[in-house]
Structure formats: structure tokens, C-alpha cells
Amino acid sequence: MLCDVIAALATPPGRSAIAVVRVSGDEALALVGRIVAPLAGRDSGVNWLRGVPARTAVLARFLDSSGNQIDEGLLTVFPAPHSYTGEDLVELSCHGGLLAPAQLLTALHAAGARSAAPGEFTRRALLNGKLDLLQAEAVGDLIEATAPAQGRAALFQLEGGLSQRLLALREELLELLSLLVYEIDFPEEDDGPVPVERIRDRLERTAAQISRLLATAPAGERLREGALVVLAGRPNAGKSSLFNALLGTSRALVTEIPGTTRDTIEASSEVHGWPVRLADTAGLREAGERLEQLGIEVSRRYVAAADLLLLCVEAGRMLAAEERELLDQHPALLVRTKADLVPIAERESEDGIAVSTITGEGLDRLREGIAKRLFSEGEGYAELAPMLTRERHRVALTRAGDALDAARLELGRDAVLVAHQLRSAVSALEELIGVVHPDEVLGRVFERFCVGK
Ligand SMILES: Nc1nc2c(ncn2[C@@H]2O[C@H](COP(=O)(O)OP(=O)(O)OP(=O)(O)O)[C@@H](O)[C@H]2O)c(=O)[nH]1
Ligand SMILES: [Mg+2]
């Protein structure tokens, strides 16, 4: 049942100044009324709660099922439909820690509330039309965000940036569909009110918009998940030193012995506010004993998976053939390490970004280069433009684009088939936005939410 009362801790469990418990559902007010009481006076909780002004925090006593006081705190009533879920919703702020929130939840359960499933509050918001599916995903993204750029993108999506763009595309397709239906219904008016060429123009414009949006997917998905930046190069090239410098902590071991790093180390970080996963790898070389060889195999797998390779080559050294190959075959930046050891005059003509982890030279330039290569290259991507941030988006929009391609092929031949393809494109967009939401899609979106959201 959809409208039963659900309750959950909306803040992380553990020691904290306060904890917030959320309660939502048709009978939320009556239910909460049984476990709260005004700070002073004898009014029953139920009566008192009905008189509490909407969306205003008021002091209350929280009681267990025997009427004993658990805590005293703040309570805010959000009457339907002006609440996060669109239902009657009450937020109870009690003291944090392990005891008070747990007792409060126990009291709510005893009064008839059920524990909320992960993401259930947002799911209800979606079903009550407070959010669409893209916005619901953005709520999750905002909670998961660690880098400022991730937060900005999630907020933009939450405010409906991507939804509006997709709704406009859907609107345009529906209009084309109505023109086609006219043609299907009155085929004898062969030069009907809308010549095929005009439909073709509009169809192509829409298809181009879909392609542009699809082109944002790599950067968008990278933004959400963090781009994999792999430091690779020969043993002793200064990879681990650079890894530490970029992270700002001594995470990886550094020694003058070639072959120090044996296993790949990964750490999340940000570069100019953009999320990256930095990976330091074992130096690539042919020789070496078994353990080192194993490490090198792992390095190669990382190199293959990298969104960006930082190929580390000491300043002043000619690139070897295999290093050139790495640069050619992967998205890569050439980093000239240990720049402090070579006078500027001798390395002026060298390609690559010269850095020194000792003097700090070039590190900012490198950070800038990384951010630029990963997040602002390519067409159609500007910050705060709508972006596809998930595989789900990419798959659905690709389906819409394919349907439009098929429609273009049939245009001028079989209007019924064209209409059929347009309808498929519309339904792909609708599934993406969440105008229609098959349970299976919802299940996938919400399975990774935290309880209480
Ligand atoms: N002068 C100077 N020395 C550096 C710099 N970066 C690293 N080194 C030295 O170069 C040696 C190797 O550094 P590492 O960072 O361990 O090199 P690596 O590429 O991780 O080496 P492996 O893990 O063995 O593949 C160490 O002695 C470092 O102190 C630098 O910018 N300037
Ligand atoms: Mg190393």
C-alpha cells in the first residue's frame, strides 16, 4: 500500500548533536500525535498536533508507548501536499547518539509506523508528482557528491535542467506526430498543410539535439563517478611522488629504488573541483621478478581503463618507443617529472607539462590540464548545460535517437511507420524523464538510496 505511514532516521546513525526522524503517510499526524505531547499543558498529542502551525518548528516532548518521556526536541508538520513526499509529513528532531533516535523510532513503530525502505520518501515524492525520475536521481547524486562540480551538476538536474530539455524534445516529437497523423488521415491531400520537407527539417533538428545531448554522456558519467586518472611510466619516473603531490598526502611509498610500487593504489580526489580517482601504478618494464610482473599486469589493465593517462617521463630524457605508443593509443597527458633536475634552458623545447614535486613547479598547470581534458573538452559541454549522467540516460536517449533515424529513413514513404518510430522515440523519452515509470526502472533507481531519503 502506498499511503501507509513510514518512518526513518534521516540523519546518519551515531554520535551527533541532533538526529532527524521523518514520518510520512496519510495518517502521519494521527500516528505522531500518539507519541508526542506539548512541552506544557495537558492537551493530548493528537489534538495539539492538529493546531500546530504548518512548516513551523515547535518544541515538543517525545514519549514511548507507555507515555514515558524519551526526549524533548523540535517537531515540524508539513501538511499534504506541501511536503517533500506530497503526503502529510512530520519531522522530529531529537538529540543524536544511539539511544534517543532508536527509542523514538521504536515508539513510532509501536504506534503503527513501518520502517521506510531505502529511497522510499523520494519514491513517494515521485509518485505524487513532486519530482520526476531525473530529479529523484539528482537527489541521490547530490547526497553522494564529494566534489563541488558534482554538487553543481546534481543541483542543476534537481532544478529540472535536464528534464526541461527532454520535455521540450518530447513536445516537439508529439507535434510532429500530430502533423503525421493528419497526413495519414487525409492522404489524398498530397500537398497537405505540411510538406514532407518541413517535417524532415524538424525531425533532423530534433535528432541533432539528441546527438548533442548524447555527446555529453561521457563527461556527465565521469562527473558522477569520478574520472579514472592513471599515473603510468617507467620505474622510478616519479609516479608515486606525483600521486602524493596531487593528493596532498603521503599515500604511496617513494624510494629511489626502481620498482617500489608493486600494486596499484587508488584514491579519490578532486582537481579544480572536479572528481577524479587517481591511480598510482607499478612502473612498466620488461624485466623484474614475478611479483613485479604481476603488478605490471595490473598497471596495464589500469592503463587500458583510464579516462586519462598521466604518462610520467623524466624531464630531459628522450621518449622511448613504448612511451610514444602509450601516448598515441590512450587519452593521455605527457608529464615531464623531476623538472628541478634539468635547467629550464635544456627542457624548453620539450613536449609535455614539466613538474617537480620538490619545488611544486607545474603542479597547478597539470591540474588545470587534467580538468580541461576530462571535463571541458568536446562539443556540447559547458558547465551547467544539461548533461546525461547515467548509463540509464544514455541507453534511453540512444533508443530515442535510433527511432528517429529509422523514422527519417521512412519519411516520404510510409507515414504510418514514421509515426510508429516517433511514438517509440517519445516513449523512450518518457521513460527517461519518468512520465511513465515501470516498476523495474524505479527499483533500479532507488535501490542505492539511503533510508530516510
Ligand atoms: N629531484 C626530484 N626527485 C624526484 C621528484 N619526484 C620523485 N623524485 C625521486 O625519484 C625517485 C623515485 O620516485 P617515485 O615517486 O618512487 O617513483 P615511481 O615512479 O613511483 O617509482 P616506482 O614505484 O619504482 O615505479 C625518488 O627517489 C624520489 O625522491 C622530483 O620532482 N624531483
Ligand atoms: Mg611508485
Side-chain angles (χ1 to χ4, degrees):
M1 201 168 67
L2 252 185
C3 40
D4 59 343
V5 178
I6 51 172
L9 195 58
T11 43
R15 281 188 59 162
S16 64
I18 60 165
V20 176
V21 171
R22 264 181 166 172
V23 189
S24 180
D26 284 353
E27 296 297 319
L29 281 176
L31 193 149
V32 171
R34 277 177 235 144
I35 64 128
V36 297
L39 215 49
R42 274 169 218 275
D43 219 359
S44 90
V46 180
N47 273 340
W48 170 69
L49 209 52
R50 293 200 195 290
V52 162
R55 296 176 299 281
T56 306
V58 293
L59 276 167
R61 292 189 296 131
F62 303 143
L63 313 172
D64 68 13
S65 50
S66 325
N68 300 316
Q69 182 165 337
I70 300 167
D71 196 359
E72 108 184 16
L74 285 175
L75 158 166
T76 316
V77 175
F78 300 85
H82 304 293
S83 68
Y84 181 68
T85 54
E87 307 170 330
D88 277 345
L89 185 146
V90 185
E91 280 185 9
L92 307 164
S93 312
C94 62
H95 288 101
L98 293 178
L99 192 61
Q103 285 182 329
L104 188 53
L105 278 171
T106 305
L108 285 165
H109 292 155
R114 160 172 81 69
S115 293
E120 197 169 2
F121 289 90
T122 306
R123 191 174 181 136
R124 288 186 176 194
L126 177 81
L127 295 173
N128 288 322
K130 305 296 284 190
L131 295 169
D132 65 31
L133 198 50
L134 293 161
Q135 291 171 313
E137 283 173 334
V139 170
D141 290 347
L142 190 57
I143 293 172
E144 300 286 331
T146 52
Q150 286 174 313
R152 285 198 299 276
L155 209 54
F156 183 74
Q157 191 174 321
L158 182 59
E159 285 166 354
L162 183 55
S163 311
Q164 277 159 22
R165 177 66 62 91
L166 294 169
L167 281 171
L169 287 172
R170 170 177 172 268
E171 216 34 55
E172 172 68 10
L173 291 179
L174 286 175
E175 211 169 294
L176 284 175
L177 205 49
S178 68
L179 296 178
L180 275 168
V181 169
Y182 186 89
E183 193 182 303
I184 293 165
D185 288 346
F186 305 99
E188 61 284 355
E189 297 179 29
D190 55 15
D191 219 274
V194 193
V196 163
E197 279 319 304
R198 253 187 67 201
I199 297 194
R200 185 184 303 282
D201 270 2
R202 289 174 65 169
L203 204 53
E204 275 168 11
R205 265 207 307 276
T206 311
Q209 282 177 11
I210 288 184
S211 303
R212 273 203 297 278
L213 214 44
L214 273 170
T216 66
E221 284 172 45
R222 240 178 247 162
L223 179 60
R224 207 172 65 80
E225 286 156 16
L228 183 61
V229 176
V230 175
L231 290 110
R234 286 190 174 174
N236 230 25
K239 302 177 293 299
S240 300
S241 306
L242 187 56
F243 177 75
N244 290 339
L246 289 173
L247 283 181
T249 57
S250 292
R251 179 72 202 283
L253 289 179
V254 169
T255 75
E256 68 293 348
I257 307 163
T260 301
T261 305
R262 294 301 176 98
D263 209 352
T264 299
I265 311 176
E266 221 185 291
S268 289
S269 183
E270 52 170 273
V271 172
H272 279 213
W274 300 95
V276 295
R277 288 179 293 137
L278 279 181
D280 178 28
T281 62
L284 301 165
R285 64 172 164 185
E286 293 305 325
E289 23 88 25
R290 188 168 143 68
L291 188 61
E292 190 181 351
Q293 282 304 330
L294 286 176
I296 291 173
E297 273 170 41
V298 174
S299 303
R300 294 203 186 278
R301 283 207 292 280
Y302 265 85
V303 166
D307 290 311
L308 182 65
L309 195 65
L310 301 185
L311 181 66
C312 299
V313 178
E314 296 90 339
R317 174 164 76 71
M318 288 269 287
L319 265 67
E322 85 268 5
E323 287 169 326
R324 294 217 165 279
E325 216 166 89
L326 280 173
L327 278 182
D328 289 343
Q329 291 173 355
H330 300 276
L333 284 178
L334 175 60
V335 184
R336 293 304 203 141
T337 54
K338 311 189 191 180
D340 55 288
L341 297 180
V342 182
I344 291 188
E346 283 175 37
R347 54 181 163 88
E348 237 168 13
S349 58
E350 251 173 31
D351 285 344
I353 302 173
V355 302
S356 163
T357 58
I358 290 182
T359 63
E361 176 193 340
L363 289 175
D364 271 341
R365 229 152 53 84
L366 177 59
R367 287 195 186 92
E368 214 169 278
I370 295 172
K372 211 163 147 207
R373 268 299 282 275
L374 284 170
F375 294 104
S376 52
E377 241 180 23
E379 254 182 68
Y381 177 68
E383 210 182 328
L384 292 198
M387 261 195 304
L388 304 184
T389 52
R390 286 165 197 260
E391 193 192 353
R392 188 184 81 79
H393 305 170
R394 184 160 39 85
V395 170
L397 208 58
T398 303
R399 228 173 63 221
D402 289 349
L404 287 197
D405 287 345
R408 275 150 73 192
L409 285 181
E410 284 300 329
L411 204 61
R413 295 214 288 255
D414 187 339
V416 175
L417 273 184
V418 178
H420 170 74
Q421 295 295 356
L422 287 188
R423 255 179 240 116
S424 312
V426 168
S427 72
L429 290 179
E430 288 178 344
E431 188 186 310
L432 180 49
I433 307 164
V435 178
V436 288
H437 20 69
D439 262 355
E440 181 203 347
V441 176
L442 291 195
R444 255 180 290 142
V445 169
F446 288 110
E447 70 192 358
R448 297 176 58 190
F449 265 64
C450 43
V451 175
K453 192 64 236 182

